[in-house]
Amino acid sequence: MGEVFDAYEGNYADTVNRSVSFTGLDVDFFTRVKARYIRQIVDAELAEAEGLDLLDIGCGVGNYHGLLAEHFQSITGVDISRASVEKAGERHPDVTYRHYEGEVLPFSDGSFDVAYTICVMHHVPPGNWARFVCEAHRVLRPGGVFLVFEHNPWNPLTRRAVNQCPFDADAVLLSRPKTVSLLSEAGFCDVTARSILTLPPLNDILFAADGLLGRLPFGGQYYVQGRK
């Protein structure tokens, strides 16, 4: 699988943009929206904490890290694609990047306060989903927060975008209830889920409206969060 994403390291954004062109939006827009959700969730869940260490599981070329750098003491990215990790390191020299084989995260227990994975789990073989989530649990500190962002398989526009994206040919989309179940079974507590991108949050008002619609199952994507 790492070799598949190595092939797209230099044109990842262009490839995604072609698959979502029918929306009139681009990959940078979706990146900014999810980065804003990450900041909002962390502020709500860890408001009293300082100097937070963040882990991005399946970081690709580090598209989110410039948007999150001021929010965290440190950012670490890990990915199965060597070419992507090398490119990310060139873009963000202050971020730590590691290559791994996709099973055991190369970090000690309790290394991070926050971990997230964005549209990665649908590339993980379903038989490895539980282990993937358990690894995230292992590397978090007590009280740490884990966030999973995924495509909503119940949204027809999302399915269209996935079907048009060449590196999603292997994708097995996870439903919101399935992801909630995986986090709960891995030992996370206070597990909750919200839809996002129910409407395009093009400004502050629409972002707030998108948040209010989060209980509905119709968003283009969703996130599931849990605490260790």
Side-chain angles (χ1 to χ4, degrees):
M1 180 57 66
E3 292 79 6
V4 172
F5 286 96
D6 284 348
Y8 289 97
E9 165 269 319
N11 62 349
Y12 171 86
D14 290 341
T15 304
V16 175
N17 283 337
R18 285 193 293 272
S19 72
V20 300
S21 61
F22 65 90
T23 68
L25 303 168
D26 62 18
V27 66
D28 289 339
F29 168 78
F30 294 109
T31 299
R32 291 193 301 271
V33 169
K34 281 175 280 193
R36 184 169 181 177
Y37 271 109
I38 291 169
R39 295 192 301 265
Q40 177 177 280
I41 294 163
V42 170
D43 284 346
E45 297 295 325
L46 298 170
E48 304 302 320
E50 296 183 1
L52 298 174
D53 298 313
L54 173 68
L55 174 64
D56 179 351
I57 305 172
C59 65
V61 296
N63 284 341
Y64 290 85
H65 301 162
L67 299 169
L68 298 172
E70 294 183 359
H71 221 70
F72 295 91
Q73 171 178 268
S74 73
I75 298 177
T76 300
V78 62
D79 202 281
I80 62 172
S81 167
R82 290 187 185 276
S84 295
V85 165
E86 290 172 3
K87 179 67 173 180
E90 294 171 2
R91 298 177 66 199
H92 305 290
D94 294 333
V95 176
T96 299
Y97 292 101
R98 299 280 295 275
H99 171 263
Y100 85 131
E101 298 300 328
E103 294 190 0
V104 178
L105 289 168
F107 309 107
S108 302
D109 297 0
S111 295
F112 302 96
D113 303 290
V114 181
Y116 69 76
T117 187
I118 298 178
C119 296
V120 169
M121 286 191 65
H122 62 256
H123 293 294
V124 176
N128 292 345
W129 285 345
R131 181 172 186 175
F132 184 95
V133 175
C134 285
E135 275 296 287
H137 187 275
R138 178 183 66 80
V139 301
L140 281 172
R141 297 175 181 130
V145 173
F146 181 44
L147 295 167
V148 178
F149 288 82
E150 267 300 336
H151 294 315
N152 179 8
W154 300 338
N155 184 296
L157 294 180
T158 296
R159 283 198 168 274
R160 177 179 172 183
V162 169
N163 289 338
Q164 292 181 175
C165 189
F167 55 71
D168 279 340
D170 71 324
V172 179
L173 301 186
L174 300 81
S175 69
R176 224 167 77 166
K178 177 61 178 179
T179 307
V180 167
S181 175
L182 286 165
L183 266 68
S184 297
E185 291 170 2
F188 287 99
C189 60
D190 301 327
V191 179
T192 58
R194 304 281 292 185
S195 291
I196 63 171
L197 298 165
T198 305
L199 49 79
L202 296 165
N203 54 43
D204 290 347
I205 293 173
L206 292 175
F207 183 85
D210 191 50
L212 292 173
L213 295 171
R215 293 188 181 277
L216 302 177
F218 309 125
Q221 296 184 349
Y222 66 84
Y223 68 81
V224 176
Q225 68 182 81
R227 268 187 180 272
K228 181 171 179 178

